[in-house]
């Protein structure tokens, strides 16, 4: 038998929920442990091996000092996988990207926050290193993780759905939330979670990222139809995907010149500045 | 065949008796509407339901199903072997109660598609064990439907039994011998009298004025309308609006495309081939090896769906490609509808043909 591939798990800025899902998956699919050797997994074991071929990385990159560690992982691993929305997209961490970083630091850490805590706009790890695959979701789907690892070990290219969430939602015969007057980003979101949120009556917030053909203009119209303000729509779109939208620059489907989208917005500009994120009119 | 009378109060007993030998499915109330589901007693049945999100096709072609399992190994001589075991999921004696006439037209098309030419053994295994019990619509389900235009407001010959509610009873038409046996052996009914038959025809003719026409053209004109308008710029307008979400095809009783996938189990020696509903509205559908997509734009995909519904299916299978059930309209979030599209194409042609109003 050839030696088992060695895999390692790493975390950056994240809640570790995806790693917990992995722990969960390993408990229900014990067979996986026969096929791989886990050499590093802070969430589940204390040993640390530096000799790995496959690296799963959870969390987004939110500090310059994270970059060296990411590059070191990339230099060692033959395959790098972004695990979950933070690593894949920037995730909820990237919500802060909508404001100048100095103001965010002050707001979150207080007056001396800027001196004491290092921080920069949250980025998906693919903004720093080359990433081979992503397992999307906040958190990742346990079964999708298992299927992914199976395919990877079989030498087949793991493939994710590239169509909108509505497909899975219709197969589940859910009544459409948008038709019932409840906002749901399903039409612009990548499928793969079996439409778990709409199936339980909650609108999708696009934690798996946007579908390749996302029709933002008409998604906005649908949300406007629910009476959502431009600011609220921007807030919906940027829940997990602020980094992606910012990268679209002037093409970002966000209302120009709108406020910062925060419900807790105050008049005090130093505490909560206006958004830098409204697509610039001209650059 | 024959026409029987089932007094309404005997329906619960009929359902209970059927349940002894069959999975009985029918329209039931859900939180927000209605859906076909397994029923445990006649109280759950909502035979006066307007419509459902998914048509009863899901019992003949489930959303996902395993086609076969395989096992790879090595023979004694050292050769690689693959042992294939066909799987038949969800094949069980089933009675589908309360199928509307439009959906029966959908089933009639399915029967043709899956049994003529290539015979789909999974479909056939299920279909052979399924009884279709229809129910006549006496009022339109809602404003999205246009069954009257599509000629699907009368039952096609696919039902085993077909019920029409008249006063305190169901008049039941037997479409097949096995349907008649099913009825006679599970409930006490009596043959309809001349007076019953008169009341039935009265009920049936009285229903028509309640249904309106939504199409500006006749059903027979649709295929040529589609041919002439293949190059229309309406497709671009619709394509711009379309979300490429596939809802319209997934809920459609005449859509039957599926994708086939193989999956290996963890032990790497066993696996299964399964199929899952697919949609021509999705980007990947027309993507072929080498990365070429022969329907890359949404406009071309919307057009393709409309062409299939209005022309191709009719040409290939000589049956209607659209039953007028209205499900795609109810599912679409950007109001792309069959009547809206056909009427727009029709109007455009009138302008083209009429120099006085043409721009
Ligand atoms: S509830 Fe959301 S995901 Fe489901 S069909 Fe409606 S828009 Fe799509
Ligand atoms: S439904 Fe949307 S928000 Fe919920 S898990 Fe799926 S992609 Fe994420
Ligand atoms: S195209 Fe629309 S109206 Fe026609 S059969 Fe399909 S779902 Fe029903
Ligand atoms: S479309 Fe017509 S036949 Fe079908 S359910 Fe509605 S009213 Fe009945
Ligand atoms: S349901 Fe509407 S938006 Fe979705 S693919 Fe069909 S036509 Fe396009």
């Amino acid at each position: 038998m050839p030696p088992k591939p060695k895999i390692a798990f790493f975390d950056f800025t994240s809640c570790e929920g995806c790693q917990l899902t992995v722990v969960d998956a390993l408990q229900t699919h014990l067979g996986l442990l026969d096929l791989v050797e886990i050499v590093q997994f802070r969430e589940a074991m204390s040993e640390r091996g530096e000799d790995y071929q496959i690296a799963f990385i959870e969390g987004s990159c939110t500090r310059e000092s994270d970059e060296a560690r990411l590059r070191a992982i990339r230099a060692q691993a033959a395959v790098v996988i972004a695990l979950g929305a933070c690593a894949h997209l920037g995730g909820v961490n990237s919500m802060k990207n909508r404001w100048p970083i100095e103001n965010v630091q002050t707001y979150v850490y207080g007056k001396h926050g800027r001196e004491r805590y290092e921080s920069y706009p949250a980025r998906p790890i693919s903004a720093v290193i080359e990433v081979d695959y992503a397992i999307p979701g906040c958190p990742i789907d346990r079964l999708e993780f298992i299927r992914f690892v199976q395919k990877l070990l079989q030498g087949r290219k793991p493939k994710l759905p590239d169509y909108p969430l509505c497909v899975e939602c219709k197969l589940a015969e859910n009544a459409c939330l948008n038709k019932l007057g409840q906002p749901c980003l399903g039409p612009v979101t990548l499928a793969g979670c079996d439409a778990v949120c709409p199936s339980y009556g909650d609108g999708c917030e696009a934690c798996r990222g946007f579908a390749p053909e996302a029709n933002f203009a008409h998604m906005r119209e649908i949300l406007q139809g629910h009476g959502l303000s431009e600011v609220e729509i921007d807030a919906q779109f940027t829940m997990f995907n602020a980094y992606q939208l910012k990268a679209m620059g002037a093409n970002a489907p966000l209302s120009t010149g709108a406020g910062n989208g925060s419900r807790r917005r105050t008049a005090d500009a130093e505490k909560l500045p206006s958004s830098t994120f409204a697509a610039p009119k001209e650059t | 065949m024959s026409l029987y009378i089932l007094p309404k109060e005997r329906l619960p007993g009929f359902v209970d008796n059927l349940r002894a030998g069959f999975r009985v499915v029918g329209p039931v109330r859900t939180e927000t509407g209605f859906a076909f589901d397994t029923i445990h007693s006649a109280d759950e049945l909502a035979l006066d339901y307007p419509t459902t999100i998914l048509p009863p096709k899901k019992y003949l072609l489930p959303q996902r199903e395993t086609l076969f399992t395989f096992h790879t190994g090595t023979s004694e001589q050292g050769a690689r072997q693959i042992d294939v075991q066909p799987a038949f999921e969800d094949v069980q004696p089933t009675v589908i109660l309360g199928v509307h006439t439009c959906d029966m037209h959908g089933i009639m098309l399915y029967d043709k598609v899956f049994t003529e030419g290539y015979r789909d053994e999974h479909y056939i295994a299920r279909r052979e064990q399924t009884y279709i019990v229809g129910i006549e619509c006496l009022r339109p389900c809602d404003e999205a439907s246009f069954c009257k235009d599509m000629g699907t407001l009368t039952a096609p010959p696919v039902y085993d039994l077909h019920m029409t509610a008249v006063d305190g009873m169901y008049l039941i038409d037997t479409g097949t011998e096995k349907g008649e046996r099913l009825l006679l052996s599970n409930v006490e009914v009596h043959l309809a009298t001349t007076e019953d038959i008169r009341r039935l025809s009265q009920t049936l003719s009285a229903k028509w004025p309640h249904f309106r026409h939504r199409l500006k053209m006749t059903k027979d004109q649709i295929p040529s309308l589609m041919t002439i308008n293949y190059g229309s710029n309406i497709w671009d307008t619709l394509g711009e609006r379309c979300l490429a979400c596939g809802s319209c095809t997934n809920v459609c009783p005449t859509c039957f495309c599926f994708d086939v996938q193989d999956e290996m189990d963890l032990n790497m020696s066993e696996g299964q081939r399964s199929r899952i509903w697919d949609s021509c509205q999705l980007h990947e559908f027309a993507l072929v090896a080498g990365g070429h997509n022969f329907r890359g734009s949404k406009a071309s995909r919307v057009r393709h769906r409309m062409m299939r519904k209005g022309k191709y299916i009719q040409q290939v299978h000589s049956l209607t490609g659209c039953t007028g059930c209205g499900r795609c309209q109810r599912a679409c979030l950007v109001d792309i509808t069959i009547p809206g599209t056909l009427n727009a194409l029709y109007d455009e042609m009138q302008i083209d043909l009429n120099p006085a109003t043409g721009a």
Side-chain angles (χ1 to χ4, degrees), chain A residues 99 103 107 260 262 264-274:
Chain A
W99 295 279
N103 298 358
Y107 181 66
N260 59 35
S262 168
R264 291 194 289 162
R265 187 175 177 195
T266 67
D268 187 338
E270 179 55 28
K271 271 190 192 150
L272 268 174
S274 69

Side-chain angles (χ1 to χ4, degrees), chain A residues 10-11 30-31 36 39-40 62 68 81 83 90 103 166 178 212 229 233 245 261 268 273:
Chain A
F10 302 92
D11 45 70
L30 285 167
V36 296
V39 299
Q40 195 174 144
T62 60
I81 300 127
L83 189 69
N103 298 358
C166 298
N178 276 319
S229 68
I233 296 173
L245 292 171
D268 187 338

Side-chain angles (χ1 to χ4, degrees), chain A residues 96-107:
Chain A
K96 70 172 180 180
N97 298 7
R98 300 180 62 193
W99 295 279
I101 190 67
E102 306 76 36
N103 298 358
V104 173
Q105 279 171 298
T106 311
Y107 181 66

Side-chain angles (χ1 to χ4, degrees), chain A residues 25-158:
Chain A
L26 293 176
Q27 274 164 8
T28 51
H29 292 75
L30 285 167
L32 207 56
L33 290 171
D34 298 335
L35 304 172
V36 296
E37 186 185 337
I38 300 178
V39 299
Q40 195 174 144
F41 194 175
R42 199 180 52 80
E43 186 78 22
M45 58 192 244
S46 48
E47 298 89 330
R48 288 178 60 143
E50 295 301 341
D51 162 32
Y52 48 84
Q53 290 98 42
I54 302 173
F56 287 92
I57 302 179
E58 184 201 72
S60 48
C61 181
T62 60
R63 297 180 300 196
E64 204 175 335
S65 58
D66 286 340
E67 294 184 11
R69 195 167 146 237
L70 278 168
R71 287 201 194 89
I73 297 168
R74 177 73 266 186
Q76 167 63 33
V79 182
V80 170
I81 300 127
L83 189 69
C86 298
H88 171 214
L89 306 167
V92 282
N93 302 321
S94 63
M95 252 190 278
K96 70 172 180 180
N97 298 7
R98 300 180 62 193
W99 295 279
I101 190 67
E102 306 76 36
N103 298 358
V104 173
Q105 279 171 298
T106 311
Y107 181 66
V108 175
Y109 298 120
K111 228 162 117 192
H112 300 290
R114 288 176 60 185
E115 300 128 47
R116 291 187 194 147
Y117 299 98
E118 183 198 352
S119 182
Y120 71 21
R123 307 155 82 184
I125 59 168
S126 60
V128 182
I129 56 173
E130 201 183 314
V131 173
D132 301 290
Y133 301 103
I135 303 181
C138 176
I140 57 163
D141 181 89
R142 189 167 53 90
L143 297 175
E144 187 170 57
F145 172 77
I146 297 288
R147 284 196 302 271
F148 180 93
V149 176
Q150 271 170 241
K151 284 246 164 79
L152 193 67
L153 296 179
Q154 286 157 1
R156 300 160 74 193
K157 215 171 141 81

